[in-house]
Coordinates of all heavy atoms in Angstrom, one line a residue:
M6 N -22.0 -21.1 21.6 CA -21.0 -21.0 22.7 C -20.3 -19.7 22.7 O -20.0 -19.1 21.7 CB -20.0 -22.1 22.4 CG -18.7 -22.0 23.2 SD -17.5 -23.4 22.9 CE -17.4 -23.5 21.1
R7 N -20.2 -19.2 23.9 CA -19.6 -17.8 24.1 C -18.6 -17.9 25.3 O -18.9 -18.6 26.3 CB -20.7 -16.8 24.4 CG -20.2 -15.4 24.5 CD -21.4 -14.4 24.3 NE -22.5 -14.8 25.2 CZ -22.7 -14.3 26.4 NH1 -21.8 -13.5 26.9 NH2 -23.7 -14.7 27.1
I8 N -17.4 -17.3 25.0 CA -16.4 -17.3 26.1 C -16.5 -16.1 26.9 O -16.6 -15.0 26.4 CB -15.0 -17.3 25.4 CG1 -14.8 -18.6 24.5 CG2 -13.9 -17.2 26.5 CD1 -13.5 -18.5 23.7
V9 N -16.6 -16.3 28.3 CA -16.7 -15.2 29.2 C -15.4 -15.2 30.1 O -15.0 -16.2 30.6 CB -17.9 -15.4 30.1 CG1 -18.0 -14.3 31.1 CG2 -19.2 -15.4 29.2
V10 N -14.9 -14.0 30.2 CA -13.7 -13.8 31.0 C -14.1 -13.0 32.3 O -14.7 -11.9 32.1 CB -12.6 -13.0 30.3 CG1 -11.3 -12.9 31.1 CG2 -12.3 -13.7 28.9
D11 N -13.7 -13.5 33.4 CA -13.9 -12.8 34.7 C -12.6 -11.9 34.9 O -11.6 -12.4 35.2 CB -14.1 -13.7 35.8 CG -14.4 -13.0 37.2 OD1 -14.0 -11.8 37.2 OD2 -14.9 -13.6 38.1
R12 N -12.8 -10.7 34.5 CA -11.6 -9.8 34.5 C -11.0 -9.6 35.9 O -9.9 -9.2 36.1 CB -11.9 -8.4 33.9 CG -12.4 -8.5 32.5 CD -11.3 -8.7 31.5 NE -11.7 -8.9 30.2 CZ -10.9 -9.2 29.2 NH1 -9.6 -9.3 29.4 NH2 -11.3 -9.5 28.0
N13 N -11.8 -9.8 36.9 CA -11.4 -9.7 38.3 C -10.5 -10.9 38.7 O -9.7 -10.8 39.6 CB -12.5 -9.6 39.3 CG -13.3 -8.3 39.1 OD1 -12.7 -7.3 38.9 ND2 -14.6 -8.4 39.2
R14 N -10.6 -12.0 38.0 CA -9.8 -13.2 38.3 C -8.6 -13.3 37.4 O -7.6 -13.9 37.8 CB -10.6 -14.4 38.1 CG -11.6 -14.7 39.2 CD -12.4 -15.9 39.0 NE -13.2 -16.3 40.1 CZ -12.9 -17.3 41.0 NH1 -11.8 -17.9 40.8 NH2 -13.6 -17.6 42.0
C15 N -8.7 -12.8 36.1 CA -7.6 -13.0 35.2 C -6.4 -12.3 35.6 O -6.4 -11.1 35.9 CB -8.1 -12.5 33.8 SG -6.8 -12.7 32.5
T16 N -5.2 -13.0 35.6 CA -4.0 -12.4 36.0 C -3.0 -12.3 34.8 O -1.8 -11.9 35.0 CB -3.3 -13.2 37.1 OG1 -3.2 -14.5 36.7 CG2 -4.2 -13.1 38.4
G17 N -3.5 -12.6 33.6 CA -2.7 -12.4 32.4 C -1.5 -13.4 32.3 O -0.5 -13.1 31.6
L18 N -1.7 -14.6 32.9 CA -0.6 -15.6 32.9 C -0.4 -16.2 31.5 O 0.6 -16.7 31.1 CB -0.8 -16.7 33.9 CG -0.7 -16.2 35.3 CD1 -1.2 -17.3 36.3 CD2 0.7 -15.9 35.7
G19 N -1.5 -16.3 30.7 CA -1.4 -16.7 29.4 C -1.5 -18.2 29.1 O -1.2 -18.7 28.1
M20 N -1.9 -19.0 30.1 CA -2.1 -20.4 29.9 C -3.2 -20.7 28.8 O -3.0 -21.6 28.1 CB -2.5 -21.1 31.2 CG -1.5 -21.0 32.3 SD 0.1 -21.6 31.9 CE -0.2 -23.3 31.8
C21 N -4.2 -19.8 28.8 CA -5.2 -20.0 27.8 C -4.7 -19.8 26.4 O -5.0 -20.5 25.5 CB -6.4 -19.0 28.1 SG -5.9 -17.3 28.2
E22 N -3.8 -18.8 26.3 CA -3.1 -18.5 25.0 C -2.3 -19.7 24.5 O -2.3 -20.1 23.4 CB -2.3 -17.3 25.0 CG -1.7 -16.9 23.7 CD -0.9 -15.6 23.7 OE1 -0.9 -14.9 24.7 OE2 -0.2 -15.4 22.7
A23 N -1.6 -20.4 25.5 CA -0.8 -21.6 25.2 C -1.7 -22.7 24.7 O -1.4 -23.4 23.8 CB 0.0 -22.0 26.4
E24 N -2.9 -22.8 25.3 CA -3.8 -23.9 24.9 C -4.6 -23.6 23.6 O -4.8 -24.5 22.8 CB -4.9 -24.1 26.0 CG -4.3 -24.6 27.3 CD -3.9 -26.1 27.2 OE1 -4.1 -26.7 26.2 OE2 -3.3 -26.6 28.2
A25 N -4.9 -22.3 23.4 CA -5.7 -21.9 22.2 C -5.2 -20.6 21.6 O -5.9 -19.6 21.8 CB -7.2 -21.9 22.6
P26 N -4.1 -20.6 21.0 CA -3.6 -19.3 20.5 C -4.4 -18.6 19.4 O -4.3 -17.4 19.2 CB -2.2 -19.7 19.9 CG -2.3 -21.1 19.7 CD -3.2 -21.7 20.7
D27 N -5.3 -19.3 18.8 CA -6.2 -18.7 17.8 C -7.3 -17.9 18.5 O -8.0 -17.1 17.9 CB -6.9 -19.7 16.9 CG -5.8 -20.4 16.0 OD1 -4.8 -19.8 15.9 OD2 -6.2 -21.4 15.5
L28 N -7.5 -18.2 19.8 CA -8.7 -17.6 20.5 C -8.3 -16.5 21.6 O -9.0 -15.6 21.9 CB -9.5 -18.7 21.2 CG -10.1 -19.7 20.3 CD1 -10.7 -20.8 21.1 CD2 -11.1 -19.1 19.4
F29 N -7.0 -16.7 22.1 CA -6.6 -15.8 23.2 C -5.3 -15.2 22.9 O -4.4 -15.9 22.4 CB -6.5 -16.6 24.5 CG -7.8 -17.3 24.9 CD1 -8.0 -18.6 24.6 CD2 -8.8 -16.6 25.6 CE1 -9.2 -19.3 25.0 CE2 -10.0 -17.2 26.0 CZ -10.2 -18.6 25.7
E30 N -5.1 -13.9 23.3 CA -3.9 -13.3 23.2 C -3.7 -12.3 24.4 O -4.5 -11.4 24.6 CB -3.9 -12.5 21.9 CG -2.5 -11.9 21.5 CD -2.6 -11.2 20.2 OE1 -2.8 -11.9 19.1 OE2 -2.5 -10.0 20.1
V31 N -2.6 -12.5 25.1 CA -2.3 -11.7 26.2 C -1.5 -10.5 25.7 O -0.5 -10.6 25.0 CB -1.5 -12.4 27.3 CG1 -1.2 -11.4 28.5 CG2 -2.3 -13.6 27.9
Q32 N -2.0 -9.3 25.9 CA -1.3 -8.1 25.5 C -0.1 -7.7 26.3 O 0.1 -8.3 27.4 CB -2.3 -6.9 25.5 CG -3.7 -7.2 24.8 CD -3.5 -7.3 23.3 OE1 -3.4 -6.3 22.6 NE2 -3.5 -8.6 22.9
D33 N 0.7 -6.8 25.8 CA 2.0 -6.4 26.5 C 1.7 -5.9 27.9 O 2.5 -6.1 28.8 CB 2.7 -5.4 25.7 CG 3.3 -5.9 24.4 OD1 3.4 -7.2 24.3 OD2 3.6 -5.1 23.5
D34 N 0.5 -5.3 28.1 CA 0.2 -4.8 29.4 C -0.4 -5.9 30.3 O -0.9 -5.5 31.4 CB -0.7 -3.6 29.3 CG -2.1 -3.9 28.7 OD1 -2.3 -5.1 28.4 OD2 -2.9 -3.0 28.6
G35 N -0.5 -7.1 29.8 CA -1.1 -8.2 30.7 C -2.6 -8.4 30.5 O -3.1 -9.2 31.2
T36 N -3.2 -7.5 29.7 CA -4.6 -7.7 29.5 C -4.9 -8.8 28.5 O -4.2 -8.9 27.5 CB -5.2 -6.4 28.9 OG1 -4.8 -5.3 29.7 CG2 -6.7 -6.4 28.8
L37 N -5.9 -9.6 28.8 CA -6.3 -10.7 27.9 C -7.2 -10.2 26.8 O -8.2 -9.6 27.1 CB -6.9 -11.8 28.7 CG -7.4 -13.0 27.8 CD1 -6.3 -13.7 27.1 CD2 -8.2 -14.0 28.7
L38 N -6.9 -10.5 25.6 CA -7.7 -10.2 24.5 C -8.3 -11.5 24.0 O -7.6 -12.4 23.7 CB -6.9 -9.5 23.4 CG -7.6 -9.1 22.1 CD1 -8.7 -8.0 22.4 CD2 -6.6 -8.6 21.0
V39 N -9.6 -11.6 23.9 CA -10.3 -12.7 23.4 C -10.5 -12.5 21.9 O -11.2 -11.5 21.5 CB -11.6 -13.1 24.1 CG1 -12.2 -14.3 23.5 CG2 -11.4 -13.2 25.6
L40 N -9.8 -13.2 21.0 CA -9.8 -12.9 19.6 C -11.2 -13.3 19.0 O -11.6 -12.7 18.0 CB -8.7 -13.7 18.9 CG -7.3 -13.4 19.4 CD1 -6.3 -14.3 18.8 CD2 -6.9 -11.9 19.2
N41 N -11.8 -14.3 19.6 CA -13.1 -14.7 19.0 C -14.0 -15.2 20.2 O -13.8 -16.3 20.7 CB -12.9 -15.8 18.0 CG -14.2 -16.3 17.4 OD1 -15.3 -15.8 17.7 ND2 -14.2 -17.3 16.5
E42 N -14.9 -14.4 20.6 CA -15.7 -14.7 21.8 C -16.8 -15.7 21.5 O -17.3 -16.3 22.4 CB -16.4 -13.4 22.4 CG -15.3 -12.5 23.0 CD -16.0 -11.3 23.6 OE1 -17.2 -11.0 23.4 OE2 -15.3 -10.6 24.4
T43 N -17.1 -15.9 20.2 CA -18.2 -16.9 19.9 C -17.6 -17.9 18.9 O -18.0 -17.9 17.7 CB -19.4 -16.2 19.3 OG1 -19.0 -15.3 18.2 CG2 -20.1 -15.3 20.4
P44 N -16.7 -18.7 19.3 CA -16.1 -19.7 18.4 C -17.0 -20.8 17.9 O -18.0 -21.1 18.6 CB -14.9 -20.3 19.2 CG -15.3 -20.1 20.6 CD -16.1 -18.9 20.7
D45 N -16.7 -21.3 16.7 CA -17.5 -22.5 16.2 C -17.4 -23.7 17.1 O -16.4 -23.8 17.9 CB -16.9 -22.9 14.8 CG -17.1 -21.8 13.8 OD1 -18.0 -20.9 14.0 OD2 -16.4 -21.8 12.8
A46 N -18.3 -24.5 17.0 CA -18.4 -25.8 17.8 C -17.1 -26.6 17.6 O -16.7 -27.3 18.5 CB -19.6 -26.6 17.5
G47 N -16.5 -26.5 16.5 CA -15.3 -27.2 16.2 C -14.1 -26.8 17.1 O -13.1 -27.5 17.2
C48 N -14.2 -25.7 17.7 CA -13.1 -25.2 18.6 C -13.4 -25.6 20.0 O -12.6 -25.2 20.9 CB -13.1 -23.6 18.6 SG -12.5 -22.9 17.0
R49 N -14.4 -26.4 20.3 CA -14.8 -26.6 21.6 C -13.7 -27.3 22.5 O -13.4 -26.9 23.6 CB -16.0 -27.5 21.7 CG -16.5 -27.8 23.1 CD -17.9 -28.5 23.1 NE -18.9 -27.6 22.7 CZ -19.6 -26.7 23.5 NH1 -19.2 -26.6 24.8 NH2 -20.5 -25.9 23.1
Q50 N -13.0 -28.2 21.9 CA -11.9 -28.9 22.6 C -10.8 -27.9 23.1 O -10.4 -27.9 24.2 CB -11.2 -30.0 21.8 CG -12.0 -31.3 21.8 CD -11.1 -32.4 21.3 OE1 -10.3 -32.2 20.4 NE2 -11.4 -33.6 21.8
D51 N -10.5 -26.9 22.2 CA -9.5 -25.9 22.5 C -10.0 -25.0 23.6 O -9.3 -24.6 24.5 CB -9.1 -25.1 21.3 CG -8.3 -25.9 20.3 OD1 -7.7 -26.9 20.7 OD2 -8.1 -25.4 19.1
V52 N -11.3 -24.6 23.5 CA -11.9 -23.7 24.5 C -11.9 -24.4 25.8 O -11.5 -23.8 26.9 CB -13.3 -23.3 24.1 CG1 -13.9 -22.5 25.2 CG2 -13.3 -22.5 22.8
E53 N -12.3 -25.7 25.8 CA -12.4 -26.4 27.1 C -11.0 -26.6 27.7 O -10.8 -26.5 28.9 CB -13.1 -27.8 26.9 CG -14.6 -27.6 26.7 CD -15.3 -28.9 26.4 OE1 -14.6 -29.9 26.3 OE2 -16.6 -28.9 26.4
A54 N -10.0 -26.8 26.9 CA -8.6 -27.0 27.4 C -8.2 -25.6 28.0 O -7.5 -25.6 29.1 CB -7.7 -27.4 26.2
A55 N -8.5 -24.5 27.4 CA -8.2 -23.2 27.9 C -8.9 -23.0 29.3 O -8.3 -22.5 30.2 CB -8.5 -22.1 26.9
V56 N -10.2 -23.3 29.3 CA -10.9 -23.1 30.6 C -10.3 -23.9 31.7 O -10.1 -23.4 32.8 CB -12.4 -23.5 30.3 CG1 -13.2 -23.5 31.7 CG2 -13.1 -22.5 29.4
E57 N -10.0 -25.2 31.4 CA -9.4 -26.0 32.4 C -8.0 -25.7 32.8 O -7.5 -25.9 33.9 CB -9.5 -27.5 31.9 CG -10.9 -28.0 32.0 CD -11.1 -29.3 31.2 OE1 -10.1 -30.0 30.9 OE2 -12.2 -29.7 30.9
G58 N -7.3 -25.1 31.8 CA -5.9 -24.7 32.0 C -5.7 -23.4 32.8 O -4.6 -23.2 33.3
C59 N -6.8 -22.6 32.9 CA -6.6 -21.3 33.5 C -6.5 -21.5 35.0 O -7.4 -22.1 35.7 CB -7.8 -20.5 33.2 SG -7.8 -18.9 34.2
P60 N -5.3 -21.1 35.6 CA -5.1 -21.4 37.0 C -6.0 -20.6 38.0 O -6.1 -20.9 39.1 CB -3.6 -21.0 37.2 CG -3.3 -20.1 36.1 CD -4.2 -20.5 34.9
T61 N -6.6 -19.5 37.5 CA -7.4 -18.7 38.4 C -8.9 -18.9 38.1 O -9.7 -18.1 38.7 CB -7.0 -17.2 38.2 OG1 -7.4 -16.8 36.9 CG2 -5.6 -16.9 38.5
E62 N -9.2 -19.8 37.3 CA -10.6 -20.1 36.9 C -11.4 -18.9 36.4 O -12.5 -18.6 36.8 CB -11.3 -20.8 38.1 CG -10.7 -22.1 38.5 CD -11.4 -22.8 39.6 OE1 -12.3 -22.2 40.2 OE2 -11.1 -23.9 39.9
A63 N -10.7 -18.1 35.6 CA -11.2 -16.9 35.1 C -12.1 -17.1 33.8 O -12.9 -16.2 33.5 CB -10.1 -15.9 34.7
L64 N -12.0 -18.2 33.2 CA -12.7 -18.5 32.0 C -13.9 -19.4 32.2 O -13.9 -20.3 33.0 CB -11.8 -19.1 30.9 CG -10.6 -18.3 30.5 CD1 -9.7 -19.2 29.6 CD2 -11.0 -17.0 29.8
S65 N -15.0 -19.1 31.5 CA -16.1 -20.0 31.5 C -16.8 -20.0 30.1 O -16.6 -19.0 29.3 CB -17.1 -19.6 32.5 OG -17.5 -18.3 32.4
I66 N -17.6 -21.0 29.8 CA -18.3 -21.1 28.6 C -19.8 -20.9 28.9 O -20.3 -21.5 29.8 CB -18.1 -22.5 27.9 CG1 -16.6 -22.8 27.7 CG2 -18.9 -22.6 26.7 CD1 -16.3 -24.2 27.3
V67 N -20.4 -20.0 28.1 CA -21.8 -19.9 28.2 C -22.5 -20.3 26.9 O -22.0 -20.0 25.8 CB -22.2 -18.3 28.4 CG1 -23.7 -18.1 28.4 CG2 -21.6 -17.9 29.7
E68 N -23.5 -21.2 27.1 CA -24.2 -21.7 25.9 C -25.4 -20.7 25.6 O -26.2 -20.5 26.4 CB -24.8 -23.1 26.2 CG -23.7 -24.1 26.6 CD -22.6 -24.3 25.6 OE1 -22.8 -24.0 24.4 OE2 -21.6 -24.9 26.0
D69 N -25.3 -20.1 24.5 CA -26.3 -19.1 24.1 C -27.6 -19.8 23.5 O -27.5 -20.9 23.0 CB -25.8 -18.1 23.1 CG -24.8 -17.1 23.7 OD1 -25.0 -16.8 24.9 OD2 -23.9 -16.8 23.0
Ligands
SF4_127 S1 -5.1 -18.5 31.7 FE1 -6.6 -17.4 32.9 S2 -5.5 -16.0 34.1 FE2 -4.2 -16.5 32.5 S3 -4.6 -15.0 30.8 FE3 -5.9 -16.8 30.5 S4 -7.8 -16.2 31.5 FE4 -6.3 -14.9 32.3

């Protein structure tokens, strides 16, 4: 599983960070930092919550 961010859609609102703070961190300048782009399967619920919680649909999961 790999997390993909569409930088053209992300507005830095940080809903993903609220859902999964171990995986996402919005920087002071509003840029989203993905702390772990290839999380373990055990993180799937958190990743899916972040994907669904993103108001601009900027996040997606790619199965490698
Ligand atoms: S919730 Fe979506 S728009 Fe907001 S920081 Fe995360 S990826 Fe970007």
Side-chain angles (χ1 to χ4, degrees):
M6 164 174 51
R7 187 160 48 88
I8 298 170
V9 176
V10 183
D11 183 341
R12 299 283 171 187
N13 292 321
R14 283 178 171 261
C15 176
T16 55
L18 292 170
M20 299 303 289
C21 53
E22 183 177 350
E24 294 287 354
D27 291 344
L28 298 173
F29 302 97
E30 189 177 293
V31 178
Q32 307 295 282
D33 290 342
D34 66 359
T36 308
L37 175 64
L38 181 65
V39 182
L40 301 174
N41 182 0
E42 291 185 345
T43 54
D45 295 338
C48 293
R49 181 169 291 274
Q50 275 195 330
D51 287 346
V52 176
E53 288 180 349
V56 170
E57 285 165 21
C59 175
T61 63
E62 298 183 351
L64 296 176
S65 53
I66 299 170
V67 173
E68 306 296 346
D69 286 327

